[in-house]
Amino acid sequence: MTRRSCTLYAVGVICSTLLVVGIGLVVSQVFRTFMHNRLKKEIVLVEGSRVFESWKSPPPPVYMEYFFFNMTNVNEFLVSGAKPVVKQIGPYTYREYRSKDNVSMVENGEKVSAYNTKTFVFLREKSVGDPTVDNITTVNIPAWAVMNELKGSFWKASVASVMMNSVGSDLFTTRTVDELLWGYEDPLLTGIASLKTVEKVFGLMYKKNGTNNGEFVYHTGEQNYMDYGHVETWKGQRQLDFWTSNQSNSINGSDGSAFHPFLDKNERIYIFSPDLCRSIHMEFEKDVEVKGIPAYRFTPPRSVLASKEENPANEGFCVTPKECLGTGLLKVSPCRKGAPVVASFPHFYLGEEKYVAAIEGMSPKREHHQTYLDLNPTTGVIVRANKRAQINILLNRMPGFPKTRNLNEIIFPVMFINETVVIDDASAARVHKLLLIVTLVSNFPLLIVGLGAIMLAIFIILLYRAHKQKTSNEEDTSYSAVSDKEKEDPQNGTYIGLTAKSEPQE
């Protein structure tokens, strides 16, 4: 066997081996399965894992923006029943520092408990004004909370009405942004405190700076990666007790800080929110990219806050059969000490048009008022998020309170929040590196197939050249038969025609 034949044979063997092995690995998904299993073991809430420290102290900066609705026609609204006119003022922006405190492994390391502590620091450069100076005219929430609690008793309501007049507590109040957020001593609550035990100070974020909202117990994800970060209990409870059905009281999904890897576009993501006193779900909307990282955008659909007529599953969120609001609203008074607080998306986005039309100054826009999560599908890492929610107060006529006699039921907006986060550059670089490793390892069989294809091309070229060379050699060593005339030629191929000799003339 010649050297050329050996080379051709070797290339053929190598090429066929690479193709067979590569295709076999692609079909069997060995490397992909290996990489996925590796990630599932790394993305768990245990000491030393790839994500544990960043889960305890998230590195990307979180910003909390507060937007208030300033009421500009209080007298016309209360006296003549004019449509409320509001003007949005904001944002007042705070840097939100999050940390998981008192972290400890429980149930033999299968779960982990922690307290979610939040601290807020005001950022003047990202705000429209000074919260200690800027005034907002809005609903007097303490007064409405007291009226709502006492409306069932005419005598108690009458006493409370007299007390409101004596302390100068009106249906609307003007306070600074700082007071509305972090608290002020309300004269009506102070007066009632002498009769029953109530908090004298009111603020939308009162006692929420530097504090936590109770103990969470999470699944680590070691037993099942799909349970990674899911809430097992909150304040020791597996179920809530605010609502009227087991489905509504269920604690589902994570707390919004962790999501399992290998997300699917067809799945629903569940998030438990203590602020909303319930779990909500989100669905895939579209593919996006953040700092070069591919992500799936998940958003809450209209059905989350749909009326019981649109979504019968939401009937359990009705406080009573008579206290069931329309699409886009959720009355959260059961977990707000009976205060007539109603949650919605900003500007009643995804809500019924009648709520938007009832307030002059509402203008729902998807790009400004939608809540969404952008998650990298491979790792489950949050690369960008916007959590948006609005606080409203249900205003209506209250028996025993003459000041409300001219009112019809209306959902009045107080403020909305926009909690934002975008992955920082250092974390993005780590995600890029991890995704590169996953891609290379998962696609290693394709590299083998590609190399096999290259070797196949080389084999075909060598085979063609060998065939061409063989043909050329055969042409060099062959000959053709001579003609019959050449065989009879005595001059051996130098036949020359001669003319006949002529006779000499005399």
Side-chain angles (χ1 to χ4, degrees), residues 65-92:
E65 298 177 325
Y66 298 97
F67 297 83
F68 288 85
F69 296 103
N70 187 55
M71 176 74 156
T72 61
N73 64 335
V74 174
N75 291 333
E76 293 83 352
F77 171 68
L78 294 177
V79 176
S80 59
K83 178 189 289 190
V85 178
V86 299
K87 180 182 179 181
Q88 179 179 300
I89 299 178
Y92 294 91

Side-chain angles (χ1 to χ4, degrees), residues 158-171 188 400-403:
S158 299
V159 172
S161 180
V162 171
M163 184 177 292
M164 286 176 63
N165 290 329
S166 65
V167 299
S169 184
D170 293 322
L171 301 182
L188 179 59
F401 295 95
K403 291 183 177 182

Side-chain angles (χ1 to χ4, degrees), residues 142 146 149-150 159-160 163-164 167 184-202:
V146 170
E149 184 176 353
L150 302 179
V159 172
M163 184 177 292
M164 286 176 63
V167 299
Y184 62 92
E185 190 168 309
D186 183 78
L188 179 59
L189 295 178
T190 301
I192 294 178
S194 61
L195 303 176
K196 59 182 296 187
T197 303
V198 295
E199 186 70 63
K200 298 179 182 180
V201 177
F202 168 79

